[in-house]
Amino acid sequence: MTEAVSKSAAASASRPSVLSLNINSKSALYAAFMPLLRNGGIFIPTTRAYNLGDEVFMLLSLMDDPAKLPIAGTVVWITPAGAQNSKAQGIGVHFKSDESGIEARRKIESLLGGVMQSTRPTHTM
């Protein structure tokens, strides 16, 4: 019985976690987007524990677009609970360099336009 439990735990550990994120405003998108990452990325507020390098799959809803963007990525940033400057707890996910990651970055940059040059603080920087 112990062997079956450990195999089951190992199987679920290798499966990417699925997250859903709805961003309804340009200011929220600006605060969450991580343009300095090669493929782009996004900050996802969560209290769930993750490790750097964990694979995640997300369904991202942007503004008024009814379509959810399915994006695979890797955890590259962790903001723990109680972080200084009252930063939101969560993870930064680097988009994969596949078609869905490229499309997500393109769509986000298109929505943000000139706001990307802002010096306002974000969830990660």
Side-chain angles (χ1 to χ4, degrees):
M1 180 126 179
T2 306
E3 185 176 322
V5 170
S6 63
K7 282 183 182 177
S8 173
S12 66
S14 64
R15 248 184 268 137
S17 170
V18 178
L19 299 163
S20 183
L21 181 62
N22 297 312
I23 297 182
N24 299 317
S25 71
K26 197 178 276 195
S27 61
L29 182 58
Y30 172 81
F33 186 49
M34 300 174 75
L36 299 177
L37 297 175
R38 181 181 317 135
N39 304 322
I42 198 127
F43 179 82
I44 302 172
T46 181
T47 56
R48 192 166 165 194
Y50 286 91
N51 295 308
L52 293 176
D54 283 354
E55 298 289 318
V56 295
F57 184 80
M58 65 196 110
L59 294 171
L60 179 61
S61 297
L62 296 173
M63 319 286 222
D64 298 326
D65 190 342
K68 291 183 184 273
L69 298 172
I71 310 162
T74 306
V75 175
V76 296
W77 180 282
I78 298 172
T79 302
Q84 64 188 62
N85 297 329
S86 302
K87 293 279 189 187
Q89 179 180 356
I91 58 171
V93 178
H94 186 201
F95 300 152
K96 296 264 185 218
S97 60
D98 61 11
E99 190 176 319
S100 66
I102 293 166
E103 174 65 13
R105 182 180 185 129
R106 185 198 62 74
K107 189 165 197 153
I108 290 169
E109 287 177 344
S110 171
L111 287 167
L112 289 177
V115 177
M116 292 197 39
Q117 307 310 319
S118 175
T119 58
R120 288 181 298 166
T122 67
H123 290 302
T124 56
M125 298 289 208

